């Protein structure tokens, strides 16, 4: 191992240590929602930087150049050379570490001791970045292929007769731009489908939905690191169920009664129609405040036991309320002599999400 | 350091460029070029050009940062050169020959600057070996005392590494520290007693008080309080803080490296300007072939790009040098010129002196960035290059353009450059209130310290000093204030009128 690798590992170990100390806080932070696996998330890591006697932002400034009137805001500094000298913006010490969401999820998984999932089936073809050997028409300016761009511009000007050998000025337009790009190499991958089911009856408020959303975000993130391709379907129900898109799933508010079985039934039809068990890893997550009619509990349990549990890698039920009614759906589940791909937990508040993830995903199925 | 021989084509280019560089009057030691791929380049850059440095996590952090921004296609490091003799420079293997030619010309100018600029006169040209020695010693301490212990101590030292005196690069550590307790009388206060009477004859609190008095006397005898304010806080700690031998060595290493890198930070604008001036001169006059023009123009433009609110040191430096060359060629300097207030006459001023080039060589010898800007920045220049000052506006939470007045621009630039734009801080008392407490004084010049950092830094200082520590500073809204840390608690005290004389 080279020196730089040692230093890098040390750095990562320190970062991980600091992140683990604060992990619960990140997990219940719903601001991360919407990030994708390779997206960088800025994690404020306390005490990772080397503090100094230095100036704060207030009263500080610098010298810049360009047009503008006094009072105009400056644009954000361009990424690139981080020259920390004159004219640079002061106070840019990194208190935040940039991690990709994937890395954060890995740390979470370590801390929750989540086992690696053993996928079944194998059909989709995914791809990986191999090398920057390709040329494209779009890309970041830093990857602009200068000569190719000019060659395109020259070709266009020759073709359109605007090239003058006496005054050989070539001006590329947007269509002429060419950028370096990478080639992907295909690798076969297993795939997964997640079906989220949520109760949107009158008793499910904004707070409850946010709990569902934050929990679902981490579930997505974890499954995505295990499967390259994750398909998600969303079902909402009150006394009847319907399939919706993701946005509607979290936004929709109904009123009316609750029939948990209606969602399970629709879910079952969906799986039969599109996701044969042999090819798909199937994950079912259901969220409700648990106030279900007793006779519907029976129907729902029947559906689970006979149809869904045999098909699914995992069925998780999260009960998102902080009230303790007697005989809610979770109690009915707990009385069931359940196979071990059924798990359930209460998620009364954001604090509980961390533990819920451990319960849901700790099976490695 | 593995010395990979350059491929034949590059050797040829190198000889050619070296010839031009000598012909235009640059004076440099032997330069050894090493080819690296991106990954190696990022590694070496993370160690600021010295692959032999001691182990520390921040180098890993820097490498990660470079690696990521390369992966996203955000930046590339074209060249790196270190101030040693022979001078080592790193070339990126994937660069086009045109780029390499430009980089070589750039590097020769840097090597000339390192050798001839006065601010580098004291730097150790054998720093590669020295850094390797530092690494060996620190690894030995890690083996002996454990990684956590040594790493924590290094972190504490690094937190103080900007507390050096830039105007005394020549100061070596002074001998004359009192030897540790070997020939002083041992502290004996205990009276002989029988076991059951001991608590009465030697009451523990009385013994503790005696011990404290003894320590007090010892401290006084050593006369630790600095006779005059000391800006080299690291040196002061080295000579006076109660450190184990290995800790002293680590602190000395951090201090030595801080002093070694200081001149590069003090001359960034001038040095990059100088290198850019010569690479463009050499390329456009001598070295460039027709077929290379577009790649050269692209690269050169990339080097000099500036985005709003940022001053590109390469650009500011080279433009200012060209301005100086032009003015000294025309004779546009001196009392007669300064007193002329007819803009037209000033713009057309031409005494045909042709002193430009000569002046440039003089500038490169004697100035650092502060002197360079202070002496040569003119109102015409600031106007022509659309310079402005900006300031952070706490109300809108963003930086905003503040002023286009020449005085403001010059003042702000000099402020950002003086002491690298870091606060100026002295040790003024090492026996504050006669209790062996350390008292630092920040010379406030209109900008407040960042408070959370100041407190965290005080904690590091206290861990090294062993007794409570204080720093006196100012806050715009409160006036003079002392921040203190006693090893357990932070406190602050607004001083009102009773400021110590700065």
């Amino acid at each position: 191992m080279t020196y730089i690798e040692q230093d890098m590992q040390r750095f990562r170990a320190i970062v991980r240590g600091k992140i683990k100390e604060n992990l619960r806080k990140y997990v219940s932070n719903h601001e991360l929602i919407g990030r994708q696996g390779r997206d960088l998330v800025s994690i404020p890591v306390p005490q990772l930087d080397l503090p100094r006697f230095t100036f704060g932002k207030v009263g500080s400034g610098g010298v810049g150049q360009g047009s503008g009137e006094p009072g105009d805001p400056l644009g954000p500094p361009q990424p690139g050379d981080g020259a920390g000298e004159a004219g640079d913006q002061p106070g840019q010490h990194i208190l935040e570490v940039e991690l990709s969401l994937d890395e954060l999820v890995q740390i979470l998984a370590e801390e929750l001791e989540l086992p690696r999932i053993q996928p079944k089936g194998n059909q989709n073809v995914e791809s990986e970045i191999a090398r920057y050997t390709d040329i494209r028409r779009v890309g970041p300016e830093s990857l602009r292929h200068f000569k190719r761009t000019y060659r395109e511009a020259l070709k266009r000007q020759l073709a359109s007769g605007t090239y003058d050998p006496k005054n050989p000025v070539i001006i590329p337009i947007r269509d002429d731009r060419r950028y370096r790009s990478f080639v992907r190499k295909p690798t076969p991958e297993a795939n997964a489908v997640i079906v989220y089911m949520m109760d949107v009856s009158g008793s499910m408020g904004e707070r409850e939905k946010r709990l569902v959303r934050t929990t679902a975000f981490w579930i997505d993130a974890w499954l995505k690191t295990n499967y390259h391709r994750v398909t998600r379907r969303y079902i909402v129900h009150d006394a009847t169920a319907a399939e919706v898109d993701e946005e509607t799933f979290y936004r929709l508010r109904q009123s009316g009664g609750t029939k948990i079985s209606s969602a399970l039934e629709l879910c079952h039809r969906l799986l039969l129609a599109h996701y044969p068990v042999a090819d798909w890893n199937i994950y079912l997550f259901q969220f409700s405040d648990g106030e279900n009619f007793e006779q519907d509990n029976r129907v729902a349990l029947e559906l689970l036991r006979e149809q869904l549990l045999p098909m699914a890698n995992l069925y998780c039920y999260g009960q998102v309320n902080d009230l303790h009614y007697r005989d809610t759906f979770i109690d009915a589940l707990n009385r069931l002599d359940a196979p071990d791909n059924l798990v359930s937990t209460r998620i009364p508040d954001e604090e509980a999400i961390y533990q819920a993830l451990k319960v849901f995903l700790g099976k490695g199925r | 350091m593995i010395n990979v021989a350059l491929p034949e084509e590059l050797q040829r280019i190198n000889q050619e460029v070296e010839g031009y560089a000598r012909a235009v009057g640059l004076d440099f030691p032997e330069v050894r070029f090493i080819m690296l791929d991106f990954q190696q380049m990022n590694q070496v850059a993370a160690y600021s050009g010295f692959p032999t440095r001691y182990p520390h996590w921040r180098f890993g952090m820097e490498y990660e940062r470079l690696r990521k921004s390369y992966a996203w296609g955000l930046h590339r490091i074209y060249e790196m050169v270190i101030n040693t003799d022979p001078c080592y420079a790193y070339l990126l293997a994937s660069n086009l020959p045109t780029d390499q030619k430009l980089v070589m010309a750039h590097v020769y100018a840097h090597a000339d600057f390192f050798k001839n600029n006065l601010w580098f006169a004291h730097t150790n040209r054998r720093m590669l070996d020295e850094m390797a020695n530092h690494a060996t010693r620190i690894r030995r301490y890690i083996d002996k005392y454990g990684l956590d212990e040594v790493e924590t101590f290094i972190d504490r030292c690094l937190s103080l590494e900007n507390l050096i005196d830039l105007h005394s690069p020549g100061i070596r550590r002074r001998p004359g520290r009192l030897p540790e307790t070997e020939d002083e009388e041992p502290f004996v206060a205990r009276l002989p007693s029988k076991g059951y009477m001991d608590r009465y004859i030697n009451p523990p609190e009385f013994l503790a008080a005696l011990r404290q008095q003894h320590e007090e006397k010892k401290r006084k005898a050593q006369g630790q309080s600095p006779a005059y304010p000391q800006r080299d806080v690291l040196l002061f700690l080295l000579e006076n803080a109660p450190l184990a031998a290995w800790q002293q060595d680590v602190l000395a290493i951090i201090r030595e490296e801080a002093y070694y890198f200081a001149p590069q930070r003090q001359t960034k604008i001038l040095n990059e300007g100088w290198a850019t001036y010569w690479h463009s001169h050499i390329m456009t006059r001598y070295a460039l072939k027709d077929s290379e023009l577009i790649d050269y123009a692209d690269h050169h433009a990339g080097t000099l790009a500036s985005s709003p609110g940022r001053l590109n040191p390469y650009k500011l430096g080279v433009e200012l040098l060209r301005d100086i060359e032009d003015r000294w060629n025309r004779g546009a300097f001196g009392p007669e010129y300064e007193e002329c207030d007819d803009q037209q006459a000033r713009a057309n001023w031409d005494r045909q002196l042709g002193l430009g080039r000569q002046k440039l060589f003089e500038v490169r010898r004697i100035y650092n960035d502060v002197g360079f800007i202070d002496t040569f920045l003119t109102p015409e220049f600031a106007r022509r290059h659309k310079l402005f000052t900006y300031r952070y506006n706490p109300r809108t939470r963003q930086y905003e353009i503040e002023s286009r007045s020449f005085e403001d621009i010059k003042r702000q630039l000099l402020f950002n450059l003086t002491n690298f734009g870091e606060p100026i801080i002295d040790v003024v008392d090492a026996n504050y209130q006669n209790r062996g407490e350390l008292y630092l004084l920040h010379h406030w010049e209109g900008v407040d310290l960042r408070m959370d950092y100041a407190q965290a830094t005080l904690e590091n200082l206290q861990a090294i000093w062993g007794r409570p520590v204080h720093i006196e500073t100012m806050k715009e809204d409160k006036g003079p204030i002392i921040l203190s840390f006693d090893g357990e608690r932070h406190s602050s005290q607004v001083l009102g009128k009773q400021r110590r004389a700065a």
Side-chain angles (χ1 to χ4, degrees), chain A residues 68-126:
Chain A
E69 292 300 312
D72 289 357
L74 293 188
Q78 295 290 311
D81 74 324
E85 260 65 35
D88 213 333
Q89 308 218 345
Q92 283 185 318
H93 280 279
I94 304 172
L95 267 165
E96 302 208 326
V97 171
E98 294 228 310
L99 289 179
S100 69
L101 183 63
D102 284 343
E103 286 173 286
L104 185 59
V105 169
Q106 283 307 331
I107 295 173
L108 178 65
E110 263 171 49
E111 198 56 4
L112 291 171
E113 294 174 333
L114 300 184
R116 291 301 306 176
I117 292 178
Q118 295 298 327
K120 56 183 194 190
N122 190 350
Q123 75 164 51
N124 278 30
V125 167
E126 250 301 334

Side-chain angles (χ1 to χ4, degrees), chain B residues 426-437:
Chain B
D426 294 333
V427 176
V428 292
D429 192 350
N431 191 14
Y432 179 57
Q433 296 187 340
N434 211 7
R435 287 197 301 231
E437 300 177 7

Side-chain angles (χ1 to χ4, degrees), chain A residues 62-335:
Chain A
V63 172
Q65 76 185 126
S67 47
E69 292 300 312
D72 289 357
L74 293 188
Q78 295 290 311
D81 74 324
E85 260 65 35
D88 213 333
Q89 308 218 345
Q92 283 185 318
H93 280 279
I94 304 172
L95 267 165
E96 302 208 326
V97 171
E98 294 228 310
L99 289 179
S100 69
L101 183 63
D102 284 343
E103 286 173 286
L104 185 59
V105 169
Q106 283 307 331
I107 295 173
L108 178 65
E110 263 171 49
E111 198 56 4
L112 291 171
E113 294 174 333
L114 300 184
R116 291 301 306 176
I117 292 178
Q118 295 298 327
K120 56 183 194 190
N122 190 350
Q123 75 164 51
N124 278 30
V125 167
E126 250 301 334
S127 57
E128 302 229 330
I129 289 183
R131 309 190 51 171
Y132 284 90
T133 51
D134 201 10
I135 295 286
R136 286 194 195 187
R137 289 168 156 261
V138 289
E141 285 310 304
S142 52
L143 293 175
R144 191 183 54 202
H145 196 305
F146 204 82
K147 276 192 165 164
R148 290 288 282 262
T149 299
Y150 262 81
R151 199 184 303 160
E152 291 300 325
L154 179 61
K155 279 199 288 202
R156 180 180 46 79
Q157 289 190 335
L158 284 171
S160 63
T162 50
Y163 178 75
D164 173 8
K166 289 201 197 53
N167 180 23
V169 176
I170 300 174
I171 300 168
I173 59 170
R174 182 190 290 262
D175 276 357
D176 300 328
R177 299 242 176 109
R178 292 294 179 272
Y179 300 88
R180 291 184 176 80
S181 169
F182 40 77
V183 181
R184 295 177 175 277
K185 62 167 193 281
T187 51
E189 284 295 344
N191 47 17
V193 58
I194 314 176
V195 183
Y196 288 107
M197 294 167 269
M198 181 162 62
D199 172 356
V200 291
S201 63
S203 49
M204 287 283 285
E206 274 316 304
R207 198 184 72 87
E208 284 79 10
K209 287 211 200 73
R210 195 161 69 201
L211 289 174
V212 173
R213 196 169 186 169
T214 310
T215 311
F217 169 75
W218 291 108
I219 292 168
D220 276 359
W222 170 238
L223 290 175
K224 275 186 204 154
T225 61
N226 282 273
Y227 298 99
H228 270 269
R229 179 152 314 196
V230 175
T231 308
R232 289 169 302 171
R233 308 294 288 253
Y234 297 91
I235 293 174
V236 293
H237 72 90
D238 46 15
T240 56
E243 192 185 353
V244 293
D245 62 18
E246 182 176 11
E247 201 185 337
T248 316
F249 180 80
Y250 291 110
R251 229 193 28 230
L252 197 67
R253 217 173 148 172
Q254 305 286 96
S255 53
T258 309
K259 265 176 85 179
I260 286 180
S261 67
S262 65
L264 291 168
E265 198 170 326
L266 179 57
C267 172
H268 183 220
R269 285 207 303 273
L270 188 78
L271 293 176
L272 288 181
H274 300 285
Y275 304 102
V277 177
D279 298 335
W280 289 86
N281 294 277
I282 296 169
Y283 293 86
L284 311 176
F285 291 92
Q286 184 155 28
F287 300 93
S288 161
D289 56 7
E291 297 175 63
N292 201 26
F293 294 114
E294 201 177 331
Q295 58 267 48
D296 188 66
N297 278 354
R298 274 200 298 279
V299 179
L301 294 184
E302 181 80 9
L303 257 169
L304 276 171
R305 207 174 26 215
E306 300 304 320
Q307 309 291 349
L308 291 168
L309 289 175
M311 299 169 86
N313 294 38
L314 195 61
Y315 167 84
C316 300
Y317 172 70
Q319 190 152 301
V320 285
N321 65 9
D322 44 3
L323 308 164
H324 283 280
Y325 298 112
R326 272 214 315 276
D327 242 17
T328 53
F329 188 60
I330 199 166
D331 301 303
L333 281 178
N334 289 343
R335 284 195 296 270

Side-chain angles (χ1 to χ4, degrees), chain B residues 396-408:
Chain B
T396 56
R397 298 224 186 126
Q398 52 187 359
Y399 288 92
E400 291 172 355
I401 296 182
E402 185 190 37
S403 158
R404 289 196 178 270
S405 117
F406 174 68
E407 283 68 30
D408 291 345

